Amino acid sequence: EADIYQTPRYLVIGTGKKITLECSQTMGHDKMYWYQQDPGMELHLIHYSYGVNSTEKGDLSSESTVSRIRTEHFPLTLESARPSHTSQYLCASSRAEGTYEQYFGPGTRLTVT
Amino acid sequence: GDSVTQMEGPVTLSEEAFLTINCTYTATGYPSLFWYVQYPGEGLQLLLKATKADDKGSNKGFEATYRKETTSFHLEKGSVQVSDSAVYFCALLGGGSNYKLTFGKGTLLTVNP
């Protein structure tokens, strides 16, 4: 059973607000990821991290930013939310060795009005 | 670059029917292959995996065989249940990568009683 947590699960917020989506894992995984899932179900990698103080942008350009100050914590921040940011956001983590399968959190469904 | 093509849905079956969801891939090197499942309102869960040619991954009655000659990893189950209703994603981890999962677009399966 994967131990990766995301809060909040659901968030409805007005345009222009700053938001932070939390992601934590208790598995000691070095690598962490953020995906955006569109209504058509397709997954897009928006950020990833190899470890503490490492962050990289993914395949899909995103106005969000991330930080990795602790191994277990990988928050995503939107400085000024817009309706185009409405989506499902999924956090994942994986080991640095082996078959690298990723373990996913339950997701945060964000709606910007 | 790496890519995954999976059967478009939605797929609707009656309980106890046989399920096949086709997945083919393009990758350099020797990728690892995965099937993930996403139940309504949840994140992705790893269903099964295969790391080399001719490996068979299996879990919860689902099976998939890594076929290098046909670059395929089709998901099968002999008798589906209503509880199998979910979105299924085929994914690969490229042989030259140690982090980037490439996902198919997902297949929605609905099983009716």
Side-chain angles (χ1 to χ4, degrees):
Chain A
E1 194 75 21
D3 296 315
I4 180 163
Y5 309 98
Q6 290 185 244
T7 57
R9 291 292 312 276
Y10 303 92
L11 179 61
V12 180
I13 202 160
T15 297
K17 300 290 186 184
K18 178 179 178 178
I19 59 169
T20 296
L21 307 184
E22 301 288 348
C23 175
S24 295
Q25 50 95 6
T26 58
M27 298 172 282
H29 287 169
D30 287 320
K31 296 181 179 178
M32 296 189 74
Y33 315 82
W34 276 103
Y35 291 87
Q36 187 172 336
Q37 187 172 28
D38 62 29
M41 306 178 299
E42 196 166 355
L43 292 154
H44 303 282
L45 180 67
I46 53 175
H47 298 283
Y48 63 97
S49 167
Y50 282 126
V52 170
N53 295 324
S54 150
T55 61
E56 302 286 343
K57 290 195 177 295
D59 301 325
L60 181 69
S61 175
S62 173
E63 293 166 349
S64 59
T65 58
V66 292
S67 62
R68 190 92 183 274
I69 298 171
R70 304 197 314 267
T71 297
E72 63 271 22
H73 195 213
F74 192 41
L76 180 146
T77 298
L78 276 165
E79 290 292 332
S80 179
R82 295 209 298 265
S84 61
H85 297 138
T86 294
S87 191
Q88 167 94 323
Y89 291 86
L90 294 168
C91 181
S93 70
S94 68
R95 290 194 298 263
E97 304 85 30
T99 54
Y100 310 112
E101 62 255 39
Q102 294 182 13
Y103 296 89
F104 283 78
T108 294
R109 181 162 296 283
L110 172 66
T111 302
V112 183
T113 60
Chain B
D2 297 343
S3 67
V4 174
T5 303
Q6 67 179 96
M7 192 167 107
E8 287 192 24
V11 174
T12 303
L13 296 173
S14 298
E15 208 164 23
E16 299 184 4
F18 184 85
L19 168 71
T20 300
I21 300 178
N22 290 335
C23 172
T24 57
Y25 67 89
T26 302
T28 54
Y30 301 96
S32 295
L33 301 172
F34 307 88
W35 277 100
Y36 281 85
V37 59
Q38 185 177 30
Y39 298 104
E42 298 184 13
L44 275 68
Q45 298 176 25
L46 179 65
L47 182 60
L48 52 84
K49 66 182 182 185
T51 58
K52 61 183 188 298
D54 300 325
D55 267 3
K56 178 186 281 189
S58 61
N59 186 25
K60 300 181 181 179
F62 291 89
E63 293 183 339
T65 301
Y66 186 161
R67 301 282 188 205
K68 192 169 187 298
E69 63 277 11
T70 55
T71 61
S72 64
F73 193 55
H74 304 322
L75 182 68
E76 296 182 336
K77 187 175 186 184
S79 175
V80 293
Q81 305 301 311
V82 172
S83 57
D84 293 327
S85 298
V87 180
Y88 292 81
F89 291 91
C90 185
L92 74 82
L93 186 71
S97 170
N98 63 0
Y99 77 93
K100 186 174 182 291
L101 272 179
T102 299
F103 285 93
K105 294 186 177 181
T107 302
L108 173 62
L109 169 67
T110 301
V111 181
N112 294 319

